Amino acid sequence: MSQPYLDLRAKTKARDRRLRDKVMSLEAAAALVGDGDHVALGGCTASRTPFAMIWALVRAKRKGLTISRSIVSTEGDVLFASGVSAHIMTSWFSQGIVWGISKVMRHYTESKRARFEEWSHMSMGLRYRAGAMGLPFLPARSMMGSDVAARLGDEVRKMTCPYTGEQLVLLPALNPDVALIHVPRCDAYGNAQIDGLQFMDADIAMAANKVILTTERIISNDQIRRAPDHTKIPFFTVDAVVEVPYGSAPHECYGLYEPFFGHMDDYAEQTARDPEAGAKDYLERFYYAPESWADYLGLIGMDAVLDAARRGRSITND
Amino acid sequence: MSQPYLDLRAKTKARDRRLRDKVMSLEAAAALVGDGDHVALGGCTASRTPFAMIWALVRAKRKGLTISRSIVSTEGDVLFASGVSAHIMTSWFSQGIVWGISKVMRHYTESKRARFEEWSHMSMGLRYRAGAMGLPFLPARSMMGSDVAARLGDEVRKMTCPYTGEQLVLLPALNPDVALIHVPRCDAYGNAQIDGLQFMDADIAMAANKVILTTERIISNDQIRRAPDHTKIPFFTVDAVVEVPYGSAPHECYGLYEPFFGHMDDYAEQTARDPEAGAKDYLERFYYAPESWADYLGLIGMDAVLDAARRGRSITND
Amino acid sequence: MTENDGYTASELLAVMSARLLEDGQCVFAGVGIPLLAATLAQRVHAPGLTILFEGGVVGPFVVPGELPPTTNEQRCTRRANMVMGITDVLLLLQRGYVDVGFMGGAQIDRYGNLNSSFIGDPDDPKVRLPGTGGGNDISSLTQMIVAMKHEKRRFVDKVDFITSPGFLAGGTSRGDSGLVTGGMYRVVTDLAVLGFDERTRAMKIAALHPGVTAEEVRDNTGFDLPIEAQAPTTEPPRAEELAALREFDPERLYIA
Amino acid sequence: MTENDGYTASELLAVMSARLLEDGQCVFAGVGIPLLAATLAQRVHAPGLTILFEGGVVGPFVVPGELPPTTNEQRCTRRANMVMGITDVLLLLQRGYVDVGFMGGAQIDRYGNLNSSFIGDPDDPKVRLPGTGGGNDISSLTQMIVAMKHEKRRFVDKVDFITSPGFLAGGTSRGDSGLVTGGMYRVVTDLAVLGFDERTRAMKIAALHPGVTAEEVRDNTGFDLPIEAQAPTTEPPRAEELAALREFDPERLYIA
């Protein structure tokens, strides 16, 4: 009998869960992520990707991270190419369907320099949810019969339901060491409100042993307390709050900006020509060269920022 | 091997889940509840109790209902005393802690004329959630060792976690025949927004085979579509929508009115003196005599309505 | 304990149990004395205490004079940090975010098992009580503080029905049943503060309230109750504690 | 199929698969052709069709000219009835609220199994594909419509890897595996509409598109493909269908 539950409880108990100011810099937050950690990313595909934190982790030369996310887009390329991670657990991994298959993902996985561990989309969600619920697994009716489950071996067990005799798969809990989640707004304590698409973020925050929030803006605790039913992530799960406007660029943040399509087209073209050199050059120009997140945005370009914001804000125009 | 899952799927498939107008009268909605049905109630204790629908079911002389709810307050007394139900499944059953133990509940259960089947609070929630997820059960770490679980016999099974060797209890899914849920507002199709306390309502709606919403007001579908992230119950789970202002009276509806404390004090006093006769008299006066829900509210009194509303609306005054 | 001491038994209960709550903890509080005591602790010595209510409320501030009748009405959401579903707030216990559960009790036994379901034979009860509510879940999943009146009929050798598990049959029986965390921490009464032996898990007197003797406690207890060596006497309720309590509950709903 | 017929292969695919959707159904649609076809069906013949996207979207109206790049960006929430979490929207499939799943495919075999994970040996693949996304869950939990280009390299005797289960090894093998509901309903290609034998669960030609022969279909299929007796010829895309499609996708992201 293993004791992951008692370990989880002990880790949780040791966290400082008071209502306290957690605002810090990107760099200070990056220091909360250790080499070898399992890091879960909030958002999905090109939405609310915690790019500012990923940018900071690449710059800090973090190593050996296991990454998990519902669906992985260009941030997966960046994590592989930078050497920050050689192991990504997700259900789908490429820039996005309009750009075809990620050549960077192909390059690193086909050469076996990195691993893309494939789970079904709902399985990823139920694994985080099991972790959020303090359970060792959740049962499900998906994944059976397929090679996706078979390839995962003992990680996916089966059981016969004692009530109905049905076959069920069991999906083991994920309790990430750290979760990186980008939100439109939160207070200094980490109470976060998330508009629109929620993805798996609430479960990820609840499951993780440490949560770093990046936020488009910090609002007062008073604003949170005026609409407590809009809080999606409670402060006691959160360990760091970093205010980073456009912190998901070049991906989107609901209601604020859409993806920076031009930048993503350029990226796809550059990495399609030569996945390794293309990605390295991209990292050099956009990750290592700029002195700050504002410099990074400046390189993407003011026109691109304004265009993405105009499109993002238009969601309520009609 | 039983086939409750295939039955559940077949029932769900047979429902008309289109975006269609479902507005009807209390009486028409009451006709959707059959004698002997398992009826789940939304809300909790003295909050968002679907009293208008219960009132209609009592008047329609519905029989043999099994009732489930997270916590049961005076509506349980009414259901027992009216003969609508002789079986209530919940975690706690009395008017509310300030009024002491419900004499009506005691009278009917101690004389064995009705049954109060006791589950833990979280177990009720996980049973609804299992039903909402299309699972036969959910595992949990609660209920073990206690007589609550022991008294439920085979309904609560145990398993050893194949990942960790831990003991877990299994809580069997509840898929109620009908759910009665009172909401502050929804559209004619059943898309419901619920402010403040959510209780178990979203899971109950998702789990049930039929959902009857009563609502303080019907809003346009256009208003729903302007804030789809505020929808808590989706239209396709809903079968009837009834507009009933003060539809939870004498209980509260978040942000609109608090409990009618005076009325509840009177009720407690009347039933404490003689549970059976007191409850019968109460039913006669407030359930059978009035000709309409407005008449019922009139009997409770305009002063009481305004006082409850003033207190209810004051939640955002500070 | 009478009004002669300047405070009621309920006030003493609220003050003494409030003092057990530590700054920085997350406390899952039931309605009545627990709610009142947690609020008191927050105002007096533990400003960083996070209160959770089973209605689905995280970090509220209870407004003086507007005590909620249960933990499921809007009053308990006043100035909360978050409102979530009932199942989700109870799952916080299972996930381990809660340091201490805090509730009242109708009947307790020597191993801290609580009964709020049946007086007498469950199949033919003398009294059908209201039931567990969140009690079973809270006491299954976290460390507990219980506040209750000290009467012989409440402190029984063996409860008629284990609604909320304490240490079950004592020793390792709680863990053996599958409850690998939590357990009784303290029982606070109007006579004493009670703890549990590390090995046998039987109840014992950890502290006596001012003017109360061990004999008096035993006279009001239905089983043998040892006293810890050098069990201290608690400090009487201070004026600021009583003033705060009375501000919260001017109608004396819970402190009468 | 070329521009000479007045429509592209993708337009034909979108039109033919849209026609399979019935008014009143709940359809779980993937991005690309499925999204386009579901939107088309809703505007042309199935106004009561409810579209679900795996990003967590219930009943949106896709705005012409603003097709979302995936089902996880804000564009796919436009004028939706509800937005929920990803896990919850996928659980609607498991609960049984979804009538049909609708997606594209990279590689399919005679039993309707789909591969979107590996070309070649999974341990040493020629191509690592993007993976299942919601595909495995959708095809495990509901009845499926798949839209894809009809090419020999895509219609293979046995897929290299079963990402999304069809009828597995045929016969009763799907049910035996524990998948007690769902299964392949139709595969729509630019040449034909394909169904599955009731007993063997092997793929067969259910209808041919205008001007296409069974021979032509078989030439583009990597396994033996029988044709149903009296398999009809589909009606060519109508002008209103093509006009609606082109209004939705003026940049020809998906219909080129």
Side-chain angles (χ1 to χ4, degrees), chain B residues 238-317:
Chain B
V238 175
D239 301 87
V241 170
V242 188
E243 193 178 57
V244 202
Y246 296 97
S248 281
H251 289 176
E252 81 168 27
C253 185
Y254 192 97
L256 297 174
Y257 46 94
E258 281 201 348
F260 294 60
F261 289 119
H263 185 82
M264 290 180 72
D265 289 344
D266 293 346
Y267 170 84
E269 201 191 336
Q270 161 166 10
T271 51
R273 281 196 307 269
D274 183 334
E276 184 153 350
K280 294 278 191 237
D281 173 71
Y282 181 80
L283 285 172
E284 198 46 61
R285 288 196 292 144
F286 290 98
Y287 279 63
Y288 300 119
E291 293 199 1
S292 66
W293 185 252
D295 281 351
Y296 163 90
L297 293 173
L299 289 169
I300 292 179
M302 185 59 78
D303 282 352
V305 169
L306 295 183
D307 173 58
R310 182 193 56 72
R311 284 182 283 115
R313 294 170 186 179
S314 75
I315 186 143
T316 46
N317 277 7

Side-chain angles (χ1 to χ4, degrees), chain B residues 54 70 84 110 156 159 172 194-195 214 230-231 235 237 239 244 249:
Chain B
I54 291 168
S70 54
V84 168
E110 291 170 13
V156 179
M159 76 175 278
I194 304 177
D195 303 318
T214 51
H230 291 192
T231 306
F235 69 91
T237 66
D239 301 87
V244 202

